[in-house]
Amino acid sequence: MRSLRDPICAIATPPGKAAIGVVRLSGEGALEVAARVFRGKDPRRLPGGRFTLGEVVDPKTGEAIDQALLLVFRAPRSYTGEDAAEFQTHGSPAVLRRVLEALVQAGARVAGPGEFTLRAYLNGRMDLAQAEAVLALVEAEGDLARRQALRGVSGALSERIRRLADRLLDLLAHVQALLDYPEEGVEPHRAEGVIREVLEEVQALLASSRAGRLAQKGARLALIGAPNAGKSSLLNALLGYERALVSPVPGTTRDYLEAPLELFGIPLVAVDTAGVRDTEDPVERAGVERALRIAEEADLVLYVADRSKPRPEPPPLPWERTLKVATKADLPPLWEDPEYLAVSSRTGEGLWALKEAIRKRLLGEASEAVWLLSERQVEALERAKAHLEEALGAPEDLMGLSLEEAVGALNALLGLEVGEEVVERVFRNFCVGK
Ligand SMILES: Nc1nc2c(c(=O)[nH]1)N(C=O)[C@@H](CNc1ccc(C(=O)N[C@@H](CCC(=O)O)C(=O)O)cc1)CN2
Ligand SMILES: Nc1nc2c(ncn2[C@@H]2O[C@H](COP(=O)(O)OP(=O)(O)OP(=O)(O)O)[C@@H](O)[C@H]2O)c(=O)[nH]1
Ligand SMILES: [Mg+2]
């Protein structure tokens, strides 16, 4: 791993022009480095938590690069836990690049991805689960992902994991006592009760991981049905604006069409497709084949059928991830089926219920308390689960071993006693400057 205390610097704001840009600096000697590039009050004499207005200058030539606000942080009261500084300049790429160069000339090194947060972790400012939550927060696209990630950053998930580990450690102490002093200690069936409770919570957390992934990565929602069923109209109704062409002519949508749609904070891509029917027209055929493939690949399919026409024969669809929708509910129905949600794109009737149904199908009943935020966290909990299951059936002398392994897995989730490779892998995914 790289040196862990030397001064590092990075542009923290996104590439491109903006009103303000931020360059961060952190590490031992950061304020000395800052002093070499700053004309104004001496950063070395500023107390932490203060800012001052001055100029960033080229340390070799003294040329002014830009006006800047300088923020000073003093260890351990900073994001990283080290001495740190931030330069807030005008947000032009030309300025930010020069400020970064100046800092490098003054003795700092350009930070690797996630290196600021890595230091925050190594300095005990946050655990590994919180660091992953920082990553998830930076990457959050929908409001749900943002909310979940923020809970992780503030330590709600870590707190839950720590409580579970504590319970197992208590139990472990009892089991040990039982072995050492067999006449006292715990009844075996009490141990089983505790393990079962912990196991249940672990399983609930694991069940939340699917929802967490969905909130982060979003989902694809495919609208499939016969020509003229009202797919494009439904897409427009869900979006709230006229994205797709609608007409009374069957076969209006020839190729598929994608539109981003945020539903209850979940980032979705809704895909409108060509109406599915047997046809000789090669172009239309290609569209139909595409539609069916899109259904196969979608996270959720809306099978759309017109209730004001004779009931159509449905195409082959992945029914376990399909919601059935009966459209044109404002017209007199020719058929009814309680499995179908009746909606009208024209009046908006049933639209809210459909959105609710989509949310439920995607997120399941996952409680919104805390969610797992990475594959690594899922793996750690899977391991904890396996060892807890092992402990359930085991005689007392072996139960202790399995409990220890389970505690180890929970601790690993928090980044306690994990190897360098694990830590490196977590931070590799970060962006530079975080
Ligand atoms: N300009 C700026 N904005 C930012 C960050 C940053 O690093 N810089 N953050 C980066 O992710 C987030 C805020 N996270 C932070 C967490 C702790 C400290 C910090 O200095 N904590 C000290 C001092 C607290 C105080 O003075 O009240 C401490 O906790 O001791 C700073 C930012 C979001 N906004
Ligand atoms: N009354 C009523 N008419 C609707 C409703 N939804 C769609 N329509 C009409 O049904 C016809 C077909 O709608 P589209 O949305 O283009 O149907 P589609 O499934 O996309 O059709 P293709 O692209 O040809 O596969 C249009 O004339 C719409 O105005 C509805 O809720 N109520
Ligand atoms: Mg259409």
Side-chain angles (χ1 to χ4, degrees):
M1 213 179 277
R2 293 160 293 215
S3 162
L4 297 177
R5 298 196 178 285
D6 63 326
I8 51 172
C9 58
I11 301 172
T13 40
K17 295 175 194 170
I20 312 282
V22 175
V23 179
R24 285 173 133 181
L25 171 68
S26 178
E28 243 163 45
L31 299 180
E32 280 73 28
V33 172
R36 282 178 214 130
V37 304
F38 193 70
R39 190 180 292 147
K41 287 210 183 94
D42 187 340
R44 290 167 299 188
R45 293 177 200 285
L46 278 181
R50 283 282 291 280
F51 72 87
T52 183
L53 178 63
E55 273 178 335
V56 184
V57 298
D58 186 313
K60 291 248 162 70
T61 63
E63 180 205 353
I65 296 171
D66 191 13
Q67 267 190 335
L69 283 180
L70 171 70
L71 269 63
V72 169
F73 303 84
R74 291 197 175 266
R77 296 179 55 89
S78 71
Y79 179 70
T80 54
E82 305 171 323
D83 280 349
E86 283 183 15
F87 298 89
Q88 308 200 350
T89 63
H90 295 102
S92 116
V95 168
L96 293 169
R97 211 177 315 121
R98 279 295 299 278
V99 174
L100 197 67
E101 276 169 23
L103 287 171
V104 169
Q105 278 174 16
R109 152 173 83 75
V110 175
E115 210 172 353
F116 289 89
T117 306
L118 170 64
R119 289 183 175 196
Y121 162 67
L122 293 173
N123 291 327
R125 305 284 300 171
M126 60 177 75
D127 61 46
L128 208 51
Q130 284 174 298
E132 281 171 325
V134 169
L135 175 63
L137 186 53
V138 170
E139 306 250 305
E141 284 181 21
D143 204 50
L144 189 57
R146 174 198 63 74
R147 211 157 57 228
Q148 290 308 328
L150 183 61
R151 275 191 205 141
V153 171
S154 46
L157 172 62
S158 308
E159 190 47 46
R160 278 264 297 266
I161 299 294
R162 259 194 303 275
R163 269 210 313 273
L164 293 178
D166 276 349
R167 291 194 67 182
L168 293 181
L169 282 172
D170 277 348
L171 180 60
L172 195 55
H174 279 280
V175 170
Q176 226 75 354
L178 179 68
L179 286 177
D180 296 345
Y181 312 97
E183 62 281 1
E184 300 164 39
V186 280
E187 310 279 315
H189 72 264
R190 197 183 89 73
E192 199 181 304
V194 174
I195 296 172
R196 279 196 195 288
E197 278 171 35
V198 174
L199 196 53
E200 237 167 67
E201 226 181 296
V202 166
Q203 270 156 342
L205 280 167
L206 279 171
S208 79
S209 67
R210 206 183 85 87
R213 234 184 338 257
L214 261 173
Q216 279 175 4
K217 302 222 165 32
R220 282 172 76 78
L221 177 72
L223 286 80
I224 311 281
N228 227 27
K231 300 176 295 299
S232 299
S233 305
L234 183 57
L235 175 84
N236 291 342
L238 286 170
L239 292 175
Y241 64 91
E242 300 301 302
R243 171 70 180 81
L245 208 62
V246 166
S247 93
V249 183
T252 301
T253 309
R254 300 274 277 186
D255 199 355
Y256 72 97
L257 175 161
E258 298 183 346
L261 163 68
E262 190 172 311
L263 218 65
F264 301 105
I266 311 163
L268 299 177
V269 174
V271 192
D272 182 21
T273 62
V276 175
R277 66 174 162 192
D278 281 329
T279 166
E280 298 300 312
D281 176 353
V283 178
E284 191 176 357
R285 257 210 91 69
V288 169
E289 274 162 21
R290 245 181 203 189
L292 293 175
R293 202 171 56 241
I294 285 164
E296 276 311 314
E297 289 162 2
D299 299 287
L300 185 62
V301 176
L302 299 186
Y303 172 58
V304 178
D306 184 347
R307 210 178 58 161
S308 70
K309 296 275 163 56
R311 188 168 173 156
E313 190 57 45
L317 287 178
W319 294 106
E320 70 291 349
R321 356 179 215 107
T322 298
L323 278 174
K324 297 173 183 164
V325 184
T327 51
K328 312 193 190 179
D330 53 294
L331 299 178
L334 288 193
W335 52 275
E336 307 262 11
D337 184 335
E339 281 190 16
Y340 282 71
L341 283 157
V343 304
S344 165
S345 304
R346 182 150 300 171
T347 66
E349 176 193 338
L351 217 54
W352 181 259
L354 174 59
K355 288 181 182 175
E356 282 282 3
I358 292 172
R359 184 181 69 134
K360 244 206 180 128
R361 280 300 271 270
L362 287 176
L363 296 185
E365 299 297 338
S367 79
E368 254 220 50
V370 290
W371 291 356
L372 300 181
L373 294 170
S374 76
E375 272 317 303
R376 193 192 66 82
Q377 296 177 0
V378 173
E379 276 163 30
L381 271 195
E382 293 279 10
R383 263 192 301 128
K385 178 177 160 216
H387 289 301
L388 287 170
E389 280 165 349
E390 207 173 79
L392 268 184
E396 282 116 46
D397 48 339
L398 293 182
M399 181 187 280
L401 282 178
S402 300
L403 288 177
E404 269 175 43
E405 298 269 18
V407 171
L410 293 176
N411 282 340
L413 197 155
L414 298 175
L416 302 171
E417 294 154 49
V418 295
E420 268 185 20
E421 337 74 67
V422 173
V423 175
E424 285 219 318
R425 208 170 323 140
V426 167
F427 287 93
R428 205 155 37 202
N429 298 322
F430 273 62
C431 55
V432 172
K434 191 62 233 179

